[in-house]
Amino acid sequence: MAKDRHEEQRPPSRAPNPVSSTISRRGFLKGIGTGAITAAVAPAVLMTQPDTADAQTLPGITQAQITLKVNGKPYKVDVESRTTLLSVLREKLDLTGAKLVCDRGECGGCTVLMDGKPVYACMMLALDAQGHEITTIEGLAAGDRLHPIQEAFIEHDALMCGFCTPGFVVAIKGLLDKTPNPTLDDIKRGVSGNICRCGTYPRVFQAALTAAQKMRKGG
Amino acid sequence: MEPNGQQFHVVGSRVPRVDALEKVTGRARYTADVHLPGLLYGVFVRSPYAHARITRIDVSKARALPGVMAVMTQQDLTEDQALVIQEEVHATRRVLNLFATDKVTYQGQKIAAIAAVSREIAEDAVRLVEVEYDPLPAYIDPRDAAKPETTMIYDDRQPVIGPHGETLHNVAGESHHQIGDVDQGFRDADRIFEDTYIVHRAHQTYIEPQSCIAEVGPDGKVTVWSSTQGHFAVRANISSSLGIPLSQINSIGMTIGGGFGAKFGGIIDTYAVLLAQKTRRPVKIVYTREEEFLDARPAPGAVITIKTGVTHDGTITARQAFALWDPGIGSGGCGATGRIQGVYSIPNVKWDAYDIHTNKPAPGAYRAPGAPQATFASESQLNRIAHELGIDPVELRLKNMREGDQVDFKATLKAVADHVGWWQREHDTGPNQGWGVAVGEWTNGAGPGAAVVSIHEDGSVSVFSGLMDITGTDSAMAVIAAEVLGVEYQRVKVIRGDTDSAPYATASGGSVITFSMGNAVLRAAEEARERILALAAEQFAVPVDRLELRDGQVVDRDHPENAMSLAEAARLGMRTIGGPIVGRGAFAAQPSATTIAAQIAKVEVNPDTGQVRLLKYVGSLDVGRAIYALGVEGQMEGGAVQGFSWGLMEQMQYAIDGRNANPNLLDYRIPTAMDVPYVESVLVEVPTKNGPFGCKGVGEPPIAPGIAVVAGAIHDAIGVWCNEAPITPERVVMACQERKDGVRG
């Protein structure tokens, strides 16, 4: 459930020190990737030397070639242990619909589905996404036929600048696939991990309700 | 049919946004989505201190890291590569270095820029730059920074003598104004109210961070892709900062993920160009969210003391304000103190306002710059006056409102009051619930721009210009062209050119676009229409005034068999001496009209926890004419949300050493789906003379009244005035406690 996502992925409490420290929670996560690499990448081929001519990383950073299944297709990609799923999607696969906004699981701009469940792609190491089905905003429409959620967003004008829109659409898909007949409160909770600054929330709620109705009728 | 007899076929209709499809599919390309071969990633070395002397900078280890292609500090620049800031009031001219050299004046100030083959390597290199500091005391409150015992943040500043003879330090700017005689006005009053209101700094918090890519060609020509509200402004900034001729810069404006006033260039674009020049490879800079809070251009805070005299029947006789604004190391803000006049007829008004330097980043524009802060003071106090005099706050406003030109202040306020059932609200008010009302005013700006409208041989239409769409303006342009040419809205494409190809367009800020570029597009479409009608008149051998364009056809009113589709007209044009059908339109500036945003909130307050829950939020706005109705409503709703959000939750917090204490979206809270009630919009249309179809700029005014609205509602609910915004649960509880202790009533 989206509520779980909220609880799981947000840091449990505020930083005790109000002054930003040199090691961010985000940096800490990426650092963990370094240490945990042997456990995390059983299927991957580990390389201790970088494979690009002019790039070299600091000691302790390891590289690997992994396979990710995105929108139904397998992709072989070279990653560092600290590379996030979002970075692979955007930089290596040119799937730029998911956005880098806060890089620490605070805004939902990078929301993708992993095995049908919404996750923050900025908080997930690419290594950990192996063996899972990843769905991005680019995987929602069937050719030229929009997904009912996308249609409903247009119908209700549930977007302005559009930067948060892919994240909202994907989060709602995750919600409606599990909860086909949501209440307004279900919807609010379902998108509570996504932030919109243009202030279109009420229209997003309307779009989600309409989409749910359409999907129940078979899309 | 419109009330004034004008009939429209597209204007005011609820058509989908022109950019909706690319946005819901994730295909819209924002700046960070652009990848170029050989791309480098640019990052900054920043000061961890808010105020310190720099004793040593050593970049050698960073330069030696493999994958690092450039490390630049001020030493790598020529003398004329700098930001030049002129300040008129004190006739000072400051040349700001692009990088700090011997002193930093705010946390996050740039010390070096690094380009590397990956973002990760660039960040590794940042940690290898060695900088030593000698910290200085930091000033975070303008009231402290102004005291005569402080040292000047800028060595060249002189003390300024204030209106009561006091000495003010760190003055960055001043605004003074006087109408009538306030002393006499206060003598004419039966009651005089004096209150101090504090508004803290807020960040625009556009979801898309500041982003820019720069590339330099073999001939030195610079190409820049950026997230900006004005790519012509970006070109001008780069040119003046780096001494590159305009003709050697092509600025491309990408789809923008929110700006709200903060994206006019100057924050990162200059640095991307410097790094690209140095490395001869394209360089991408995308701010992290933390960098946004440390080194962008947020809205200034303000401390405003306001004094108002009224007679027993509620007539305002005088109003005076003294204000200290907090522009950090920059300037700008204090002039907005003038908004204390509001939409009222006040015979005697005076204000003295100062920008006071603090150790914080320079401010930028944020949606109706300065209006939310000043309006909080003036409208909150008006609510207090209404309460003290026992007059309904809507009645008190109606009593003092002046008659506007091309605007109906009273009708707009009444519209929202009627909509929420204001006069019967006691039947709809539970325990600890309350209602608040406030109004804000704003006059849209105007700026130069030109547009070209082309009719294609399939009868479709394109509008070409250099305007940056900020969420709805492209759709408004399509509506205007479709209306003039009598074609379907879906047949109009709106195309944005880069600065090499498009005619100049004023930047998208100050609610200027639908008014200004709308006029350019209107004129271009009219010229194309004249050309089509002339061609058809010749073809049918009939007088041109018998012809009209509707439903994609030229039709003879008297002989409907004389008809020609727009496609046929376009093809006919190609066979004539005049060639393909295009219309050109240009606009410079024309006076616009003031508008008023009136808003009402219903809240429920928990007096024990201080938690405020918004139950309802309704706003009305005199929009002149809603050209693109969904866009207008979107602006009204979005502005309202940002207004009440500043009133309830948004504050950039600074520790005593001047460091930002909440540089992330968990600790700097903006509303989520759980915080926003159903926001309703009531449109009032009093057309203007100079706006296309009578429109006004609508983007900014809806943010103005928000803080005062929620403050009024909280008082109505639990009987305490909160004069410091945002009105967080802590502040509500403290206000309740102070009332209990008898400190305030």
Side-chain angles (χ1 to χ4, degrees):
Chain A
M1 283 208 6
K3 197 181 169 211
D4 300 336
R5 168 172 68 112
H6 198 81
E7 286 166 357
E8 278 166 22
Q9 296 211 344
R10 293 214 168 192
S13 62
R14 292 184 175 209
N17 180 356
V19 175
S20 85
S21 58
T22 48
I23 298 176
S24 64
R25 281 167 281 187
R26 174 83 199 100
F28 183 67
L29 172 99
K30 287 180 176 171
I32 284 179
T34 314
I37 191 159
T38 35
V41 289
V45 184
L46 290 178
M47 292 176 290
T48 48
Q49 293 301 313
D51 61 348
T52 46
D54 53 359
Q56 189 180 315
T57 54
L58 290 181
I61 303 294
T62 324
Q63 299 217 337
Q65 190 179 66
I66 60 169
T67 301
L68 291 181
K69 199 168 176 200
V70 183
N71 298 330
K73 282 186 220 156
Y75 294 90
K76 261 192 188 149
V77 285
D78 294 323
V79 298
E80 292 182 2
S81 50
R82 60 181 166 176
T83 308
T84 62
L85 172 60
L86 180 64
S87 166
V88 170
L89 294 174
R90 291 183 50 81
E91 314 282 328
K92 305 221 179 221
L93 307 184
D94 200 32
L95 294 169
T96 54
K99 302 300 183 197
L100 177 68
V101 177
C102 70
D103 204 21
R104 57 196 294 173
E106 294 168 347
C107 74
C110 63
T111 306
V112 299
L113 298 179
M114 191 162 89
D115 302 328
K117 184 180 164 184
V119 296
Y120 292 141
C122 78
M123 296 295 282
M124 169 130 324
L125 293 170
L127 296 169
D128 292 338
Q130 294 176 96
H132 297 284
E133 297 271 347
I134 307 297
T135 306
T136 69
I137 184 75
E138 289 88 351
L140 258 61
D144 284 343
R145 224 181 94 236
L146 292 182
H147 189 278
I149 301 169
Q150 293 170 315
E151 284 176 354
F153 264 63
I154 296 177
E155 185 188 329
H156 289 280
D157 197 41
L159 66 144
M160 280 196 257
C161 83
F163 208 73
C164 69
T165 307
F168 270 95
V169 171
V170 169
I172 291 170
K173 177 158 175 23
L175 171 77
L176 297 185
D177 284 346
K178 271 198 169 168
T179 316
N181 199 359
T183 62
L184 180 61
D185 205 50
D186 290 336
I187 291 167
K188 285 187 174 187
R189 284 181 195 287
V191 298
S192 63
N194 296 67
I195 293 177
C196 161
R197 183 53 154 177
C198 297
T200 45
Y201 292 114
R203 287 167 196 260
V204 168
F205 307 153
Q206 290 301 316
L209 287 168
T210 298
Q213 215 168 29
K214 277 189 188 172
M215 286 164 70
R216 286 199 301 276
K217 288 179 188 160
Chain B
M1 183 74 85
E2 293 296 313
N4 61 359
Q6 264 185 292
Q7 197 170 5
F8 300 112
H9 81 282
V10 193
V11 164
S13 63
R14 307 176 69 79
V15 284
R17 267 164 214 277
V18 292
D19 49 350
L21 181 64
E22 60 177 38
K23 286 180 172 173
V24 300
T25 53
R27 287 206 301 263
R29 283 270 160 174
Y30 299 82
T31 303
D33 302 337
V34 174
H35 294 292
L36 298 174
L39 189 68
L40 302 178
Y41 296 80
V43 298
F44 296 101
V45 176
R46 300 180 176 283
S47 167
Y49 293 101
H51 203 192
R53 298 213 179 271
I54 298 174
T55 54
R56 189 174 76 93
I57 301 174
D58 182 355
V59 298
S60 55
K61 284 184 188 139
R63 279 205 173 116
L65 183 71
V68 171
M69 308 308 281
V71 180
M72 297 187 82
T73 65
Q74 191 66 28
Q75 283 197 324
D76 300 291
L77 308 183
T78 61
E79 258 181 34
D80 56 347
Q81 291 180 318
L83 296 170
V84 177
I85 295 179
Q86 302 271 10
E87 202 265 297
E88 304 297 332
V89 177
H90 302 106
T92 57
R93 180 176 182 275
R94 275 190 295 127
V95 178
L96 286 187
N97 286 338
L98 286 162
F99 299 102
T101 52
D102 53 350
K103 191 180 175 187
V104 289
T105 50
Y106 66 98
Q107 182 202 10
Q109 194 168 351
K110 298 174 180 99
I111 290 163
I114 295 173
V117 296
S118 75
R119 169 118 206 160
E120 287 80 5
I121 291 173
E123 284 170 359
D124 291 341
V126 168
R127 290 192 272 275
L128 296 175
V129 173
E130 293 168 10
V131 187
E132 282 172 17
Y133 302 90
D134 196 355
L136 297 167
Y139 302 118
I140 58 168
D141 188 319
R143 288 168 293 186
D144 296 332
K147 285 177 182 161
E149 61 268 28
T150 61
T151 54
M152 298 288 185
I153 292 172
Y154 289 106
D155 300 334
D156 62 345
R157 289 285 177 207
Q158 297 303 314
V160 168
I161 304 302
H164 311 296
E166 69 273 45
T167 300
L168 298 170
H169 272 202
N170 284 307
V171 173
E174 301 180 32
S175 170
H176 306 276
H177 196 74
Q178 186 161 357
I179 300 163
D181 177 354
V182 282
D183 294 334
Q184 184 57 47
F186 287 124
R187 281 194 292 273
D188 295 343
D190 296 315
R191 306 250 332 243
I192 295 171
F193 295 84
E194 187 170 336
D195 300 281
T196 296
Y197 295 87
I198 301 168
V199 185
H200 290 280
R201 284 189 153 213
H203 193 287
Q204 298 89 346
T205 326
Y206 30 86
I207 298 296
E208 181 201 24
Q210 300 276 351
S211 320
C212 178
I213 299 171
E215 184 177 45
V216 179
D219 54 352
K221 171 111 187 195
V222 172
T223 305
V224 176
W225 294 257
S226 59
S227 170
T228 180
Q229 295 172 242
H231 50 326
F232 286 91
V234 167
R235 180 178 72 166
N237 269 324
I238 293 170
S239 174
S240 63
S241 299
L242 301 182
I244 304 169
L246 285 183
S247 60
Q248 280 289 89
I249 303 165
N250 186 27
S251 173
I252 302 169
M254 302 297 294
T255 307
I256 177 172
F260 311 114
K263 288 186 178 169
F264 294 103
I267 298 178
I268 55 171
D269 39 22
T270 313
Y271 299 90
V273 173
L274 275 175
L275 291 169
Q277 282 179 325
K278 178 95 174 173
T279 60
R280 292 282 156 169
R281 284 170 69 166
V283 175
K284 178 191 272 190
I285 299 179
V286 177
Y287 257 14
T288 64
R289 193 51 55 176
E290 184 175 39
E291 286 178 296
E292 281 294 343
F293 286 104
L294 297 186
D295 186 29
R297 302 290 172 265
V303 180
I304 302 170
T305 298
I306 185 166
K307 186 174 160 187
T308 303
V310 287
T311 58
H312 289 307
D313 69 352
T315 305
I316 304 173
T317 59
R319 185 163 245 192
Q320 183 172 7
F322 174 79
L324 299 181
W325 291 70
D326 174 11
I329 61 139
S331 61
C334 68
T337 311
R339 301 216 171 262
I340 59 162
Q341 294 173 97
V343 293
Y344 307 110
S345 174
I346 309 176
N348 309 294
V349 179
K350 183 174 190 286
W351 71 82
D352 297 285
Y354 300 85
D355 285 338
I356 304 291
H357 284 306
T358 57
N359 291 111
K360 299 176 189 171
Y366 179 25
R367 204 171 197 157
Q373 299 95 316
T375 306
F376 173 43
S378 57
E379 287 288 292
S380 256
Q381 193 187 48
L382 215 50
N383 282 334
R384 183 162 99 84
I385 293 169
H387 177 76
E388 298 273 331
L389 297 183
I391 300 174
D392 180 275
V394 171
E395 289 286 5
L396 180 69
R397 286 175 170 83
L398 292 173
K399 182 180 181 63
N400 284 286
M401 272 179 184
R402 61 188 152 88
E403 293 300 321
D405 175 32
Q406 305 164 66
V407 61
D408 197 331
F409 297 134
K410 291 178 184 172
T412 308
L413 176 57
K414 281 182 196 156
V416 68
D418 291 345
H419 187 90
V420 301
W422 178 263
W423 310 107
Q424 303 83 38
R425 65 190 185 283
E426 71 272 16
H427 305 300
D428 183 22
T429 310
N432 293 323
Q433 293 183 350
W435 299 75
V437 62
V439 306
E441 50 80 33
W442 191 257
T443 305
N444 70 260
V452 176
V453 168
S454 304
I455 315 295
H456 300 284
E457 60 267 38
D458 63 351
S460 68
V461 175
S462 60
V463 176
F464 177 72
S465 78
L467 94 82
M468 285 303 310
D469 176 72
I470 48 168
T471 66
T473 46
D474 272 0
S475 304
M477 297 307 124
V479 167
I480 291 170
E483 185 68 45
V484 172
L485 293 166
V487 297
E488 276 182 77
Y489 166 80
Q490 283 79 3
R491 299 284 284 163
V492 183
K493 268 188 305 222
V494 181
I495 299 157
R496 173 171 62 248
D498 53 32
T499 58
D500 266 3
S501 64
Y504 184 86
T506 190
S508 299
S511 305
V512 304
I513 290 299
T514 309
F515 186 87
S516 305
M517 291 305 291
N519 266 318
V521 170
L522 180 80
R523 290 167 188 182
E526 282 173 347
E527 191 179 295
R529 183 180 63 190
E530 298 317 311
R531 179 91 207 288
I532 295 162
L533 295 180
L535 276 171
E538 204 180 314
Q539 181 79 357
F540 301 142
V542 299
V544 72
D545 56 14
R546 269 187 16 209
L547 299 177
E548 64 183 19
L549 262 177
R550 61 176 144 89
D551 304 328
Q553 286 211 313
V554 190
V555 189
D556 180 343
R557 266 189 300 269
D558 297 354
H559 295 275
E561 69 277 13
N562 283 338
M564 182 191 291
S565 71
L566 212 55
E568 287 173 282
R571 290 195 289 266
L572 181 63
M574 295 201 184
R575 300 194 295 270
T576 63
I577 294 168
I581 297 169
V582 290
R584 293 165 306 170
F587 178 80
Q590 273 182 322
S592 50
T594 296
T595 188
I596 168 174
Q599 294 172 358
I600 290 175
K602 181 184 178 188
V603 303
E604 185 173 304
V605 185
N606 181 327
D608 298 323
T609 64
Q611 197 187 18
V612 178
R613 199 154 67 90
L614 269 176
L615 303 174
K616 186 182 278 197
Y617 205 92
V618 185
S620 64
L621 181 70
D622 182 346
V623 303
R625 169 88 61 214
I627 289 181
Y628 175 55
L630 285 176
V632 169
E633 288 170 5
Q635 291 300 314
M636 290 172 68
E637 293 160 14
V641 171
Q642 290 180 344
F644 69 62
S645 171
W646 199 348
L648 293 174
M649 56 211 290
E650 293 187 40
Q651 173 179 354
M652 296 178 75
Q653 294 170 7
Y654 291 88
I656 199 149
D657 63 1
R659 290 203 266 188
N660 185 301
N662 58 344
N664 59 72
L665 293 173
L666 265 191
D667 299 317
Y668 183 93
R669 295 259 291 114
I670 66 170
T672 70
M674 306 306 284
D675 303 304
V676 175
Y678 190 63
V679 179
E680 287 179 82
S681 298
V682 182
L683 277 65
V684 177
E685 294 188 309
V686 179
T688 62
K689 292 189 198 102
N690 296 328
F693 302 105
C695 85
K696 290 173 186 168
V698 300
E700 291 169 296
I703 197 179
I707 308 175
V709 172
V710 293
I714 290 166
H715 174 267
D716 192 43
I718 57 166
V720 295
W721 294 110
C722 295
N723 292 358
E724 184 170 356
I727 308 171
T728 55
E730 295 92 315
R731 292 194 175 116
V732 173
V733 169
M734 278 168 60
C736 291
Q737 191 59 43
E738 283 176 21
R739 183 182 53 170
K740 242 185 238 169
D741 298 346
V743 179
R744 66 172 106 180

